[in-house]
Structure formats: structure tokens, C-alpha cells
Amino acid sequence: MTELEIVTGPLAGRRVPLRGEVTVGRADTDLELNDAEVSRAHAVLRPRPDGSVEVADLGSTNGTYVGERRATEATLLEPGEQLRVGSTVLRLLGSPPTAAHAAPPTEERAVPHQRAPAPATFAVPTVRRRRGVRSAALLVAPTVLTFAAIAATAIALLVYFVAR
């Protein structure tokens, strides 16, 4: 069975079995990560029979990275490689395929000057978001709450000292 290990973040050390397609995000997803840099629906993971996992970004704000490469289209995550969504790092457990376990080359690949068939890809819905507006809203709410707490504290102190 294919498993992911959460390397960093609030769920560090936890192992997540991948029994089918898994959506990763901050809320209302199969794998919910409490990470402010993870989008609500961030990426989708599709395990493959060879032990690798196909990773597709769902239009996230901060991107999805396989190793150090940003996954702008469906990308394979091999066993032992790391996946980063937001500031959370996950590692695909298992050992990388060796030459003994690798599939034999097909005739098409053995013939020089012939293009290999394009890998199968899955259609992933593209979510268009206005950049900047959402991130600004994420900064404004905590700031307003902080000032409200300061104002409430000041009023409480004023009432306390006047009543004394």
C-alpha cells in the first residue's frame, strides 16, 4: 500500500495511507492540513500501481512542489521523494525503483528517432482566482481582531480605574 509520511507541520510524523485519489487542502478535503499557506483545495494525489503517485496542483496560491520542482502540470512523485504543499512537507514512503524492478523498455523506446508515447494525464479542473485579494483579506482580518482586542482591553482598564 502506498503511504505518505508528513515530515513537517502540525501533523509531523503521521503516516497517511493512499487507497485511492486523495485531495489535499486546508478544509473540506480528504487530507486536511492546518497550514495557513495551504489553499482550501490545494492538490490531488493519485496513487499508481508502480508505487509512484501522480500529483496535480488545483490552482493553489503558493504552489505544489515535487522535490524542488514546482508542479505546474500532473507530475510523478517517486518513492523517497518529497512533496511540499504550503509549508508542509510530505515524503512518499517506499524505495525508489531499481533497475531490477524497472519495466523493460518497449520497442517504441528502443527505436531511434521515434517519439515515446505521451504519458497519460488526468484532466484537473482549473480554478481561477484573483491573486492578491484573498491574501490581503487573510492579513486584514487578524489585524482588525488585534486592534479590537487592544481597544476592548483599553476600555476595560479605563472602566476599572474610574470605578476605583
Side-chain angles (χ1 to χ4, degrees):
M1 176 189 329
T2 306
E3 277 188 318
L4 282 175
E5 177 184 22
I6 301 175
V7 178
T8 64
L11 300 175
R14 180 175 167 203
R15 289 183 176 200
V16 179
L18 299 177
R19 293 190 177 101
E21 184 174 291
V22 173
T23 305
V24 179
R26 196 177 63 246
D28 301 324
T29 57
D30 302 315
L31 176 56
E32 291 184 8
L33 300 173
N34 186 14
D35 181 341
E37 294 182 23
V38 172
S39 295
R40 183 174 297 273
H42 197 100
V44 64
L45 311 176
R46 295 181 186 96
R48 296 169 44 112
D50 65 355
S52 64
V53 173
E54 183 178 274
V55 178
D57 187 81
L58 296 176
S60 67
T61 303
N62 294 315
T64 301
Y65 293 83
V66 173
E68 294 299 317
R69 302 176 318 267
R70 185 168 185 156
T72 55
E73 55 187 36
T75 305
L76 280 183
L77 176 68
E78 298 290 340
E81 280 189 305
Q82 292 188 341
L83 168 70
R84 182 167 51 90
V85 290
S87 60
T88 301
V89 176
L90 305 103
R91 180 177 36 243
L92 182 61
L93 297 178
S95 55
T98 61
H101 294 100
T106 61
E107 275 189 49
E108 292 177 349
R109 291 186 183 146
V111 176
H113 306 293
Q114 186 174 357
R115 293 180 84 176
T121 58
F122 296 93
V124 176
T126 304
V127 179
R128 303 245 184 244
R129 293 187 187 139
R130 290 177 54 195
R131 305 271 181 195
V133 173
R134 185 168 174 227
S135 60
L138 289 175
L139 294 175
V140 170
T143 305
V144 170
L145 289 174
T146 302
F147 281 114
I150 292 170
T153 304
I155 292 170
L157 286 171
L158 183 64
V159 169
Y160 172 78
F161 284 112
V162 169
R164 251 175 81 158

